[in-house]
Amino acid sequence: MNFYERFVRPLLFSLNAEAAHRLTVELLRGASHSDLALRALRFFQPSPKPKTVFGLSFPNPIGLAAGLDKNGVALPAWAALGFGFIEIGTVTAKAQPGNSKPRIFRLPAQQALINRLGWNNDGAAVIAERLRSLRRSRRWPAVPVGINIGKSKATPVEEATDDYLYSFRLLRGLADYVALNVSSPNTPGLGELQEPAALSRLLHAIRSENQTIEKPVLVKIAPDLSVTELEAIIATCEESGVSGIIATNTTLDHSSIPPALDQQGGLSGAPLRERSTAMVRAIAAKSKIPVIASGGISNAESAREKFEAGAQLVQGYTGFVYRGPGLIREIMEKL
């Protein structure tokens, strides 16, 4: 066990899960404004192993998944910790408080989390201004920054394309890539956007809007798709010129969780590892679209598994909650 697991994690786990999350982000937000703190955080940085994917240069292939920093408040700190890229969000067109609390649940024995946060975030306009302010400063991170966008909960599914376009227009100029989240289990009706006709409409609209300031556009998919559904999504992404696929979001399959511990929401962490890897392997076998793997990455072995399955990059969330920032260096030293 590393220092984080021995000393820091027990302190954080003495708080409820959302309070610990909020405290961590606020501490890193504060560190992002301090040169001394940023220098201290660089202790965790691994040696660079650059990689170029969809036209972007990544100092290493280990990224921060969307969800940890929904509002993009701590980008300099995440970069200082050694992440090769940072994905913020999910950002929605309209600010929203998310679902009622409690809405994050730890499952230490399973090395897992269940969340039903519901994309609580400040909204695209506020986050765009925050990022513009950071751009004007000298603290913008020297790693790619992705912005993950999704449909506002109050927006009907039939109006989803306009909702995504609003956020895309505000945020694309500030992003190195934009990820379209069409797969969160905590937004009612969102999964309908993975159906070929709906996904095609969304992607064509985004592609038309992406002409002047062209940025890589990625699609984040669910792990619970059937083979037929996955093949249809791959075909739609290829036809629409998608730059990458993020595999995967959290799962609704809670069969690995004891009923007494189960909660409604998306399951992440170790129980998702096998399913996520299978999705990565299936995509890589059928398409040349680059894949970012997400799901169950908690050590070097699980990261290597994703790369061997065909992933170009990986990103984590739950693994970092349980293992801490030393996980980045551990993975890079053993790859």
Side-chain angles (χ1 to χ4, degrees):
M1 296 177 71
N2 59 33
F3 179 84
Y4 171 87
E5 291 173 276
R6 286 179 181 274
F7 301 106
V8 179
R9 190 176 73 188
L11 291 173
L12 290 173
F13 278 31
S14 69
L15 305 172
N16 73 62
E18 187 160 358
H21 183 168
R22 187 166 57 249
L23 175 62
T24 299
V25 172
E26 285 304 312
L27 288 172
L28 291 173
R29 181 179 193 165
S32 293
H33 296 281
S34 165
D35 290 337
L36 181 62
L38 291 174
R39 283 197 296 270
L41 292 178
R42 291 188 184 105
F43 166 81
F44 295 100
Q45 285 193 1
S47 299
K49 291 185 180 179
K51 190 167 191 176
T52 300
V53 185
F54 40 80
L56 299 177
S57 179
F58 298 83
N60 71 65
I62 316 298
L64 179 74
L68 261 173
D69 190 353
K70 294 178 184 294
N71 291 310
V73 299
L75 271 65
W78 298 120
L81 284 169
F83 286 100
F85 62 105
I86 305 158
E87 189 171 313
I88 70 165
T90 296
V91 180
T92 54
K94 304 167 186 174
Q96 53 189 43
N99 295 323
S100 59
K101 300 177 183 179
R103 51 193 184 179
I104 310 178
F105 306 90
R106 301 187 191 99
L107 302 166
Q110 289 76 29
Q111 294 284 288
L113 297 173
I114 295 173
N115 95 80
R116 50 172 183 258
L117 284 161
W119 288 351
N120 51 310
N121 75 102
D122 294 338
V126 170
I127 292 171
E129 180 52 40
R130 178 177 296 129
L131 296 179
R132 278 193 294 270
S133 177
L134 183 61
R135 278 278 193 196
R136 291 191 294 265
S137 76
R138 58 186 178 84
R139 298 188 186 279
W140 188 268
V143 303
V145 174
I147 303 180
N148 184 302
I149 63 174
K151 183 189 77 66
S152 304
K153 186 175 182 179
T155 300
V157 173
E158 56 270 21
E159 298 173 17
T161 294
D162 288 339
D163 195 83
Y164 278 88
L165 281 171
Y166 176 84
S167 298
F168 185 77
R169 289 168 182 143
L170 282 175
L171 295 165
R172 64 177 172 181
L174 298 158
D176 291 297
Y177 71 84
V178 177
L180 307 179
N181 193 340
V182 294
S183 55
S184 170
N186 299 315
T187 299
L190 188 73
E192 295 176 28
L193 296 179
Q194 292 181 112
E195 296 173 2
L199 183 59
S200 181
R201 283 194 298 273
L202 173 61
L203 292 177
H204 276 84
I206 293 290
R207 188 175 186 178
S208 295
E209 191 65 35
N210 197 27
Q211 300 294 322
T212 53
I213 309 174
E214 190 170 352
K215 295 294 175 71
V217 173
L218 285 63
V219 174
K220 186 167 186 174
I221 63 172
D224 305 317
L225 300 166
S226 68
V227 172
T228 301
E229 289 170 330
L230 178 60
E231 289 176 347
I233 286 173
I234 293 170
T236 302
C237 288
E238 289 181 329
E239 187 271 333
S240 302
V242 164
S243 298
I245 295 175
I246 302 175
T248 62
N249 215 314
T250 56
T251 180
L252 287 172
D253 180 359
H254 293 198
S255 58
S256 61
I257 305 303
L261 300 177
D262 203 9
Q263 295 283 345
Q264 181 182 354
L267 175 67
S268 62
L272 183 55
R273 173 179 170 176
E274 185 176 342
R275 183 183 293 264
S276 169
T277 301
M279 294 288 284
V280 171
R281 188 175 292 113
I283 296 166
K286 298 178 185 299
S287 176
K288 295 187 182 299
I289 297 177
V291 180
I292 299 179
S294 181
I297 297 168
S298 60
N299 51 34
E301 179 188 359
S302 53
R304 186 183 300 111
E305 177 182 281
K306 296 291 194 284
F307 289 119
E308 290 175 349
Q312 297 297 309
L313 305 166
V314 301
Q315 56 184 193
Y317 178 150
T318 305
F320 297 110
V321 170
Y322 283 98
R323 300 292 317 284
L327 178 60
I328 307 167
R329 183 184 291 178
E330 175 189 325
I331 291 172
M332 292 306 302
E333 287 178 349
K334 295 182 180 179
L335 283 182

